Amino acid sequence: MAEKMEDDELEFPGFPYQPYSIQIDFMKALYRSLDRGGVSMLESPTGTGKTLSIICSAVQWVLDRRQKEKLKIESELPNGNNEDKVGSDDEPEWMRSFVPSKDADLVKKKASKKKSGMEKYDKKRAYGISKGAVLSNVGKEENDGLDLNENEFLLEEYESEGEEGSVGGGGKSKRKGSRGDCSSSDDEDRNDGSDEEEVEEKDFKIFFCSRTHSQLSQFIEELRKTVFPGEINVVCLGSRKNLCINEDVLKHGNSGCINERCLELQKKKNNKVSKVKVLGVEGKIRRSKASSGCPMLRKQSLQKEFREEVSQQGALDIEDLVQLGKSLGTCPYYGSRSMIPAADLVVLPYQSLLSKSSRESLGLNLKRNIVIIDEAHNLADSLINMYDAKVTSFQLELLYSHIEKYFTRFQNLLGPGNRRYIQTLMVLSRAFLRSLCGDLGSADINGCQVEKDAVDSDNIFQTSVAINEFLFSLNIDNINLVKLLRYVKESNLIHKVSSYGEKITSLQKVSLLSENGESLAEGSILSSFRALVDILASLTHKDGDGRIIISKARSACHKPQGGTLKYVMLTGEKIFSEIVDQAHAVLLAGGTLQPIEETRERLFPWLPPNQLHFFSCGHIVPPQSILPISVSHGPSGQPFDFSYSTRSSSTTINELGLLLCNLVTVVPEGIVVFFSSFDYEEQVHDAWKASGILERLMKKKCVFREPRKNCDVELVLKEYKETIFRGVKQDVVVPYNGAILLAVVGGKVSEGINFSDGMGRCIVMVGLPYPSPSDIELMERVKYIESLGDKNYTKTSNWDDEHYTTRNVQASFSILRSCKRRGKDYYENLCMKAVNQSIGRAIRHVNDYAAILLVDRRYGSSDVSRISASHPTNKLPTWIKDSLVSTTSNYGEVHRLLHQFFKFNKKRGPQ
């Protein structure tokens, strides 16, 4: 009862409108979840103001909590004054001497830090002189004709403590000091932000993450509606591809290449000699001015100005940050990263928060902070997908070639540690190539890659093996991969080999061009090295945490044509526990989070079900604003069965076309039709075009199609919207009664695009979009999930390993049939989560209304009481399931219900 009274006392003054009752309930549930801490799941249907409710409740809790702690600290002081507690005349002398002055400590700490820095500089300077002399001698006597310009490609000597010539040994790595000139930043850089004092991070910082950049922009838009941007510090993070303003970097197009080019520019400092100081008789040291190789990072003063502007302007989304960066001529990517310590609210994509390496790179501290993960309906799969790794035979071949050239050129100048590790990388590269292309001789190493169009999809064979089995089969189980990875990270080998390889390629005037004329040389060596490192890191996981997928391609003459090695992570428990253990609270939010038991078993099985806080609320729209119907038969009485074996029949496709021809006569404005895949959508569209159905549809509504490329979606949606609300397509005099959009489940349209009002008066879901059973990675996850919670299940490979081709699905169906519960439920849940995500694009506010047609006889049932828990309709959101109308063979009933529904809502109008 006391808790109920506290709930009644809760107020959320930051909410910009009069909240609905379900919004108040949601905000109170979130507030109490933050009070308790731990893991909570909060479900609120799309279109109910979920984002605004999250903002107003979470930020309010942080402000309240900080105020309580401030008052608590003040109340513990004798006179409510911190200065009176330390050094008060009322205290005995021994206590005043015992309690240190905080300011004195700070001064002492800074002085110590400065002294330590000077000592390091003196040691580095002295080492640079002696090492420089040694290098000059090496260049004259021992380099076997080494060009002095190639000194930059030499690795520093590397030792590993406790290691006597074996990569498998233990001990810590030991890297010798830097070689070459001693550089220092110029005065402008030092005085304009590069040496700023560290900002003390506050407790209970909020990290809000979502899957896409567009969803993060929507969050910022909702945040601006509140008063909080003026009360808290907000920073929005994004990828380099979305925030970079250096055109020379952006032209690479691919995200991986953009990342590599950016990092490469950070390595390439522009050094200008400013002074040559004489030390002793012969010793000289050159002091240089160092600035970033990227022109957008050369002036720290502009980075400081960028931070000040963001702080003054409040909540800025990614597009705003890009525009600000362009206007100032400084990098918004690194500018926003530098604001993390002072921020109260950090808005960032999934990858930046959920990936451990990304968190470490960004310096994110989750301790005593709040993590809110939005759109969490597929969190487990999204999380483990981040830890997948893949390397191709082309990358391995390219990498081996460049490492071999580097080693041949510099082996006489490399120390034993460097030689040993480089040779180990060559051994591993050859072993991986051997697993893809069979036994290789030295003459075969360059002929392993797959040629485009040389291999039919039916000739791609896939095998799944455990980590240990893979290592043993290649006889590389005795290599200490942890030490090898540490060496690669600390030695700067990647950039040395890549830079040398690029120089050799340019000197030999070798042109590596793709079929589109794009350069393959730039970034390809780096990306190949990164891919190998990712695979090696994956092999350090526990044997049961994932599987190695070996994909081999063969030509028509059955000769090996290369392939791909891929590591598939299966468990997210350890990954997620690292977040939960640090954070004060972790909140999973979404429109449809059920079934929650699957999420609990996969991400936090250690948490008892009764300690998992779950809250779900209804929809804000009244029942008369939604009409969900399961349509089992078409207008001519043909049953709708879109299972894999029957969906391609001309009868089924034509019957679907007749359904659409009827719908355009009764449904106003926009109709969105969801298909299971792009290939099937294309098949249906072509069949309708040939039969004349498409022409019939175009007489009533203009037909649009979702493009395969995400970059083209915005333009199509713009034309779709304009056609609906203007009634006339541009440059066409034929009037249209709205439009039809043919979309794809899992495409961009189904993920985060809002079809409010006339853009989505009717949503048509064609069939049940089960994922392809020929996907070996999916089947490995199904087998793993089936094993969860089964004490008698000893390992993930109880099923015999199968060899797969792209069209051989019998092995997959065998696996699914052998699943008793968890694996089968997971496969079915993937389908229904995709359905729920797609049909949730409609009904975006309280005055909205729409019809939802589930077109397939598997959605229907003549006896509702006999519907099992695994039936598709039982996995629909409650607000849809409670209003679902199940029809039999009478399509006339469907048409009548639609006519009445739209007539009623048109008369009702906005409330």
Side-chain angles (χ1 to χ4, degrees):
M1 186 66 183
E3 185 174 345
K4 180 65 177 177
M5 292 177 62
E6 290 179 8
D7 279 349
D8 292 339
E9 294 171 1
L10 282 177
E11 295 182 356
F12 303 97
F15 204 90
Y17 315 112
Q18 179 63 38
Y20 298 106
S21 59
I22 64 170
Q23 292 172 330
I24 295 175
D25 293 340
F26 183 89
M27 288 189 286
K28 287 181 177 180
L30 192 150
Y31 196 99
R32 290 306 172 207
S33 294
L34 295 179
D35 272 342
R36 289 187 293 259
V39 182
S40 299
M41 301 178 71
L42 296 99
E43 184 180 69
S44 181
T46 54
T48 56
K50 168 172 59 72
T51 301
L52 198 57
S53 300
I54 290 174
I55 292 169
C56 294
S57 181
V59 176
Q60 188 64 52
W61 184 89
V62 169
L63 296 176
D64 291 348
R65 183 61 176 262
R66 288 177 178 173
Q67 181 64 21
K68 288 179 182 177
E69 295 208 345
K70 180 181 178 182
L71 294 175
K72 182 180 179 181
I73 293 173
E74 291 178 353
S75 66
E76 292 175 352
L77 301 177
N79 297 317
N81 189 330
N82 193 43
E83 294 179 359
D84 293 338
K85 184 170 183 177
V86 179
S88 171
D89 291 337
D90 295 334
E91 294 174 344
E93 181 66 27
W94 66 268
M95 184 175 289
R96 290 202 301 271
S97 301
F98 177 77
V99 180
S101 167
K102 186 176 181 180
D103 293 336
D105 274 356
L106 186 60
V107 172
K108 186 184 294 184
K109 185 177 180 181
K110 287 183 178 180
S112 175
K113 188 175 181 180
K114 184 175 180 181
K115 181 180 179 182
S116 175
M118 290 301 295
E119 288 176 352
K120 289 180 180 178
Y121 173 77
D122 290 339
K123 290 180 180 178
K124 194 172 182 179
R125 181 178 64 179
Y127 179 80
I129 296 170
S130 61
K131 187 68 177 177
V134 171
L135 279 175
S136 62
N137 291 332
V138 169
K140 292 176 182 178
E141 300 173 8
E142 302 178 13
N143 62 357
D144 192 23
L146 179 69
D147 188 339
L148 289 178
N149 291 332
E150 292 182 336
N151 272 333
E152 63 179 293
F153 303 123
L154 279 174
L155 288 165
E156 299 169 11
E157 291 188 34
Y158 189 93
E159 295 178 357
S160 193
E161 294 179 2
E163 181 177 358
E164 300 294 338
S166 171
V167 180
K172 298 180 179 179
S173 62
K174 185 177 181 181
R175 185 183 178 190
K176 291 194 174 181
S178 299
R179 174 178 69 244
D181 299 334
C182 177
S183 64
S184 63
S185 300
D186 58 18
D187 292 338
E188 181 183 5
D189 285 346
R190 283 200 309 270
N191 295 332
D192 293 326
S194 59
D195 282 338
E196 292 184 23
E197 292 184 8
E198 292 185 4
V199 177
E200 184 178 353
E201 294 198 37
K202 302 174 183 177
D203 286 337
F204 307 115
K205 185 193 302 263
I206 300 174
F207 291 96
F208 177 91
C209 69
S210 195
R211 285 184 301 163
T212 66
H213 287 91
S214 61
Q215 289 168 344
L216 297 180
S217 295
Q218 291 173 12
F219 178 87
I220 294 295
E221 184 179 347
E222 293 296 303
L223 178 62
R224 288 172 180 158
K225 297 176 182 179
T226 72
V227 297
F228 295 126
E231 299 181 7
I232 61 175
N233 295 321
V234 183
V235 62
C236 185
L237 304 181
S239 65
R240 285 181 173 89
K241 184 175 183 179
N242 288 87
L243 285 173
C244 179
I245 59 173
N246 186 336
E247 294 297 332
D248 289 336
V249 175
L250 284 175
K251 70 181 181 182
H252 291 78
N254 179 273
S255 296
C257 293
I258 289 175
N259 290 339
E260 294 295 351
R261 181 58 180 161
C262 175
L263 294 172
E264 185 181 0
L265 286 176
Q266 308 315 309
K267 296 283 184 180
K268 293 182 178 179
K269 303 289 184 180
N270 294 327
N271 296 316
K272 296 181 180 179
V273 177
S274 58
K275 294 179 183 179
V276 178
K277 187 173 182 179
V278 179
L279 299 175
V281 180
E282 298 180 356
K284 293 183 180 180
I285 183 168
R286 294 178 293 175
R287 298 196 63 186
S288 62
K289 296 180 179 180
S291 60
S292 172
C294 179
M296 301 302 167
L297 280 172
R298 286 177 185 165
K299 291 187 177 180
Q300 289 294 330
S301 58
L302 294 179
Q303 284 282 290
K304 184 177 181 181
E305 187 178 350
F306 178 89
R307 291 191 292 269
E308 292 173 348
E309 284 291 328
V310 173
S311 299
Q312 291 175 5
Q313 295 185 33
L316 300 181
D317 62 18
I318 292 171
E319 288 73 21
D320 297 327
L321 293 173
V322 169
Q323 291 302 318
L324 178 60
K326 288 181 177 178
S327 65
L328 295 176
T330 192
C331 177
Y333 174 76
Y334 282 103
S336 58
R337 280 181 55 163
S338 65
M339 298 185 65
I340 295 174
D344 300 295
L345 170 60
V346 181
V347 184
L348 69 171
Y350 266 21
Q351 178 75 29
S352 301
L353 181 88
L354 300 178
S355 168
K356 183 178 181 179
S357 60
S358 296
R359 290 198 305 273
E360 292 174 348
S361 174
L362 293 170
L364 302 183
N365 178 21
L366 302 184
K367 192 171 181 62
R368 297 200 70 194
N369 290 327
I370 299 162
V371 173
I372 301 176
I373 303 173
D374 197 18
E375 299 296 330
H377 54 279
N378 280 328
L379 177 60
D381 285 337
S382 299
L383 184 63
I384 61 179
N385 284 340
M386 293 177 189
Y387 288 81
D388 288 352
K390 182 175 71 172
V391 65
T392 66
S393 56
F394 171 80
Q395 291 175 318
L396 290 168
E397 174 204 347
L398 178 69
L399 185 59
Y400 181 89
S401 173
H402 282 282
I403 295 178
E404 185 180 41
K405 289 175 182 177
Y406 181 88
F407 184 73
T408 301
R409 186 70 185 93
F410 298 104
Q411 61 178 323
N412 292 332
L413 301 172
L414 297 172
N418 283 317
R419 287 200 301 269
R420 185 167 55 252
Y421 282 115
I422 292 175
Q423 287 175 318
T424 303
L425 283 171
M426 294 170 66
V427 168
L428 289 169
S429 299
R430 281 186 62 89
F432 293 162
L433 278 169
R434 191 168 64 250
S435 71
L436 294 174
C437 307
D439 292 332
L440 295 173
S442 59
D444 299 325
I445 197 73
N446 295 321
C448 178
Q449 74 270 20
V450 178
E451 297 179 6
K452 282 192 174 181
D453 301 326
V455 180
D456 186 81
S457 60
D458 280 348
N459 289 323
I460 298 177
F461 296 86
Q462 295 180 309
T463 307
S464 166
V465 296
I467 295 176
N468 289 345
E469 181 183 351
F470 178 72
L471 295 174
F472 288 135
S473 67
L474 296 178
N475 198 26
I476 55 175
D477 55 291
N478 61 332
I479 295 177
N480 189 325
L481 296 178
V482 175
K483 293 193 67 178
L484 179 62
L485 288 166
R486 186 192 304 141
Y487 164 77
V488 172
K489 181 179 180 180
E490 295 179 353
S491 67
N492 202 25
L493 176 69
I494 293 179
H495 288 278
K496 295 290 186 181
V497 172
S498 301
S499 300
Y500 180 72
E502 289 177 8
K503 180 178 180 180
I504 294 299
T505 302
S506 61
L507 289 177
Q508 294 176 348
K509 298 182 179 180
V510 176
S511 177
L512 293 176
L513 297 177
S514 67
E515 293 180 351
N516 299 325
E518 298 176 350
S519 173
L520 292 176
E522 269 199 75
S524 61
I525 306 172
L526 273 173
S527 58
S528 298
F529 222 135
R530 296 285 184 191
L532 175 63
V533 168
D534 288 343
I535 281 288
L536 294 177
S538 299
L539 295 175
T540 64
H541 290 297
K542 289 183 179 179
D543 188 49
D545 286 353
R547 301 281 286 183
I548 300 294
I549 308 296
I550 305 173
S551 301
K552 297 182 181 182
R554 294 183 180 275
S555 64
C557 59
H558 302 290
K559 291 183 179 180
Q561 293 286 322
T564 303
L565 283 180
K566 184 171 183 179
Y567 174 80
V568 179
M569 177 69 83
L570 298 177
T571 174
E573 176 185 345
K574 180 181 177 182
I575 304 168
F576 197 70
S577 67
E578 293 173 348
I579 298 174
V580 175
D581 291 344
Q582 294 180 53
H584 164 73
V586 177
L587 306 183
L588 311 184
T592 307
L593 297 181
Q594 301 186 61
I596 62 173
E597 183 60 19
E598 177 195 310
T599 303
R600 188 192 70 82
E601 287 184 336
R602 295 183 66 190
L603 292 183
F604 32 91
W606 67 86
L607 187 67
N610 61 350
Q611 292 184 22
L612 174 61
H613 312 301
F614 176 73
F615 173 83
S616 179
C617 64
H619 210 294
I620 57 175
V621 298
Q624 60 267 30
S625 295
I626 177 175
L627 179 61
I629 308 176
S630 64
V631 183
S632 58
H633 290 73
S636 65
Q638 290 291 332
F640 282 126
D641 184 359
F642 291 95
S643 57
Y644 185 80
S645 59
T646 61
R647 67 180 185 181
S648 297
S649 71
S650 58
T651 303
T652 301
I653 293 176
N654 286 335
E655 193 71 13
L656 179 63
L658 292 177
L659 173 65
L660 265 292
C661 289
N662 278 268
L663 291 181
V664 296
T665 65
V666 68
V667 177
E669 302 171 299
I671 300 176
V672 183
V673 185
F674 283 104
F675 294 90
S676 57
S677 67
F678 279 105
D679 289 341
Y680 187 57
E681 182 274 336
E682 184 176 8
Q683 181 184 357
V684 171
H685 179 271
D686 292 346
W688 286 352
K689 186 176 181 179
S691 65
I693 289 178
L694 188 62
E695 185 179 356
R696 289 177 59 183
L697 294 175
M698 292 284 285
K699 290 180 180 180
K700 289 289 185 179
K701 294 182 186 289
C702 186
V703 178
F704 295 89
R705 301 172 67 189
E706 178 179 1
R708 290 177 183 260
K709 293 183 178 179
N710 286 342
C711 58
D712 298 331
V713 171
E714 188 174 346
L715 178 61
V716 172
L717 289 177
K718 181 181 178 182
E719 293 182 357
Y720 171 74
K721 183 177 181 179
E722 289 176 351
T723 303
I724 290 171
F725 290 109
R726 292 196 316 182
V728 179
K729 195 174 185 296
Q730 289 182 347
D731 303 326
V732 178
V733 296
V734 179
Y736 291 96
N737 180 27
I740 299 174
L741 176 61
L742 306 182
V744 175
V745 175
K748 188 169 183 180
V749 168
S750 69
E751 299 282 342
I753 303 297
N754 297 335
F755 290 97
S756 61
D757 301 316
M759 289 187 69
R761 287 300 181 213
C762 181
I763 305 296
V764 180
M765 173 57 62
V766 180
L768 286 157
Y770 285 105
S772 172
S774 63
D775 185 350
I776 186 174
E777 298 175 29
L778 172 63
M779 288 301 106
E780 288 300 329
R781 288 187 181 141
V782 168
K783 291 193 290 184
Y784 176 80
I785 292 170
E786 177 69 13
S787 71
L788 294 177
D790 188 352
K791 296 180 180 179
N792 298 321
Y793 194 95
T794 56
K795 62 177 184 176
T796 61
S797 56
N798 276 1
W799 291 270
D800 292 333
D801 288 334
E802 300 283 352
H803 292 277
Y804 294 77
T805 66
T806 54
R807 294 182 184 177
N808 179 19
V809 297
Q810 294 306 315
S812 300
F813 282 126
S814 176
I815 291 172
L816 290 171
R817 283 192 295 268
S818 64
C819 290
K820 296 179 180 178
R821 184 175 68 85
R822 289 183 176 88
K824 186 177 180 180
D825 286 347
Y826 168 70
Y827 185 72
E828 293 174 348
N829 291 340
L830 283 176
C831 170
M832 289 311 298
K833 285 180 181 180
V835 169
N836 295 336
Q837 189 69 11
S838 299
I839 63 180
R841 299 306 92 207
I843 313 290
R844 308 304 300 182
H845 56 84
V846 67
N847 293 320
D848 206 353
Y849 62 94
I852 298 172
L853 304 186
L854 305 174
V855 185
D856 197 300
R857 65 180 182 181
R858 290 172 290 179
Y859 285 111
S861 176
S862 57
D863 187 357
V864 178
S865 63
R866 296 181 62 184
I867 293 179
S868 65
S870 62
H871 193 275
T873 57
N874 264 333
K875 297 182 179 181
L876 291 169
T878 303
W879 61 280
I880 293 179
K881 182 171 59 176
D882 291 345
S883 302
L884 181 66
V885 178
S886 181
T887 62
T888 55
S889 59
N890 186 5
Y891 171 75
E893 178 68 11
V894 176
H895 202 83
R896 185 185 66 81
L897 290 171
L898 289 171
H899 178 76
Q900 291 180 346
F901 174 77
F902 287 111
K903 183 179 179 181
F904 171 80
N905 280 282
K906 186 176 180 180
K907 287 183 178 180
R908 186 169 64 100
Q911 300 299 309

